[in-house]
Amino acid sequence: MGSTVLVTGGAGYIGSAVVKRLLDQGHAVIVIDNLSKGRKELVDERAVFYHLDTTDPKLIEVFKKQPINVVMHFAAYKAVGESMSDPLKYTDNIRGLVNVLDAMVQYKVRRIVFSSTAAVYGMPKAMPITEEHPTAPISYYGFTKLVCEQTLAWYKDVHGIDFVALRYFNVAGDAGLDYVDPAPANLFPIIAEVIGGTRKELTVFGTDYDTPDGSGVRDYVDINDLVDAHIVAIEKGTGIINLGSGSGYSVKDVIAAFEDEAKTKIPVIFGPRRAGDPAAIAASNGKALYIL
Ligand code: WQD
């Protein structure tokens, strides 16, 4: 028997892909999204949709309407640069979660799956990054996610709400829903724009890092694997779990892979390092493999 799942941020890149999979597996799905970045067309028609911000006091009415078994909380602002120039906006990440948790307490919803991020670690001190790596975010965005994780721990202690916080590394790829980020800031969609002809060239941020080819190394995790992990996390796992592939690839590796796949040359400019970028990141994903 399927559960009834409330998905916040269910119109976004990751949320909409999880919604579709939940429905395909026989769960009933309720989506709330403020559509600030998400798109209504991405929400599967089988889901019940509410155009609502997570901070809205009316959220409680959604819980009143039908019994909910589990919450998946994707809704958040996630632009690292913007979080530094407009931190007030990013406090909604924290307020939104607290509003959701209070509704869960009132309506006795016992479990939440939370979208966290590798940004809580800050500059890596040891590699690969395990869940025990110290947390020292270097962006306000990462800080809000860390506060959210700690808030989840409080609600677990005080109210017994069980949580899984999934710390995503660099999520990339296509979940089959034709999601297109209208103003991308990340490597994969930027390369896609260059190949598609809507952007002239790619600037590689830094070529003098202490990495095998001098460009930055990241752990790119396929969105479809990420979706799988969320489906399992509805029932299994507790606490904090990294979601990464466990392997690092450089910017130059990624460009070469795209060129190979698209059979085209990507116009590249070699630029300076981007402020705040670590040289290399790779997840330890043993916990995810074992538990999920
Ligand atoms: C990847 C690599 C860049 C663009 C960010 C957040 C992180 C998470 C995912 C939310 C780096 C290089 C990029 C370009 C480039 N977000 N690059 N030219 O910064 O690793 O992670 O998104 O949770 O918290 O920090 O991702 O895709 O921006 O960069 O050379 O035009 O590509 O320097 O090495 P990042 P990214």
Side-chain angles (χ1 to χ4, degrees):
M1 254 276 290
S3 318
T4 299
V5 185
L6 173 68
V7 180
T8 74
Y13 169 52
I14 301 170
S16 63
V18 171
V19 166
K20 178 165 187 313
R21 184 78 73 79
L22 287 168
L23 290 160
D24 288 346
Q25 297 202 339
H27 299 287
V29 179
I30 302 151
V31 170
I32 73 157
D33 201 297
N34 70 2
L35 299 180
S36 66
K37 274 282 229 172
R39 295 210 330 266
K40 175 75 178 30
E41 315 85 82
L42 291 175
V43 181
D44 193 292
E45 281 175 356
R46 293 168 289 172
V48 178
F49 178 78
Y50 296 98
H51 184 189
L52 199 67
D53 195 280
T54 48
T55 62
D56 196 317
K58 287 202 285 290
L59 179 72
I60 196 75
E61 285 161 30
V62 175
F63 283 77
K64 209 181 286 172
K65 278 213 173 90
Q66 65 277 291
I68 290 165
N69 303 109
V70 58
V71 172
M72 304 186 94
H73 187 61
F74 295 94
Y77 298 114
K78 65 169 183 67
V80 173
E82 184 189 48
S83 76
M84 304 301 274
S85 56
D86 189 3
L88 184 60
K89 175 173 175 180
Y90 281 73
T91 61
D92 278 9
N93 288 356
I94 302 165
R95 295 199 309 125
L97 175 67
V98 173
N99 198 30
V100 168
L101 286 168
D102 280 344
M104 289 176 69
V105 170
Q106 200 169 325
Y107 282 90
K108 301 193 169 38
V109 184
R110 312 308 308 171
R111 188 163 169 87
I112 181 167
V113 180
F114 175 72
S115 299
S116 191
T117 170
V120 299
Y121 295 116
M123 284 292 174
K125 295 198 167 39
M127 210 74 85
I129 299 177
T130 67
E131 288 81 358
E132 283 72 42
H133 185 287
T135 50
I138 54 168
S139 66
Y140 192 73
Y141 163 72
F143 174 76
T144 64
K145 288 286 183 174
L146 185 58
V147 173
C148 284
E149 287 185 356
Q150 292 169 351
T151 302
L152 288 166
W154 278 108
Y155 274 77
K156 181 174 181 161
D157 277 1
V158 178
H159 298 288
I161 291 179
D162 198 18
F163 74 90
V164 185
L166 300 171
R167 289 181 175 164
Y168 309 163
F169 283 66
N170 290 56
V171 187
D174 172 26
L177 291 176
D178 296 328
Y179 178 83
V180 177
D181 188 336
N186 297 109
L187 183 63
F188 271 61
I190 287 175
I191 293 180
E193 283 193 350
V194 175
I195 291 173
T198 53
R199 184 188 287 256
K200 232 172 75 214
E201 74 250 320
L202 167 75
T203 303
V204 175
F205 298 143
T207 52
D208 59 349
Y209 283 111
D210 185 13
T211 58
D213 66 18
S215 67
V217 169
R218 295 290 181 276
D219 183 328
Y220 297 96
V221 53
D222 189 302
I223 183 165
N224 296 291
D225 292 338
L226 200 86
V227 170
D228 288 348
H230 282 78
I231 299 302
V232 179
I234 293 174
E235 284 170 354
K236 264 200 211 168
T238 186
I240 285 155
I241 302 176
N242 283 342
L243 290 185
S245 71
S247 307
Y249 291 91
S250 73
V251 176
K252 288 182 184 173
D253 289 336
V254 173
I255 294 169
F258 267 96
E259 287 185 334
D260 197 40
E261 196 63 38
K263 307 270 177 289
T264 182
K265 188 91 194 125
I266 296 170
V268 165
I269 292 177
F270 294 104
R273 294 181 178 191
R274 184 173 63 177
D277 263 359
I281 290 185
S284 156
N285 62 5
K287 194 170 176 186
L289 291 174
Y290 183 71
I291 295 175
L292 303 176

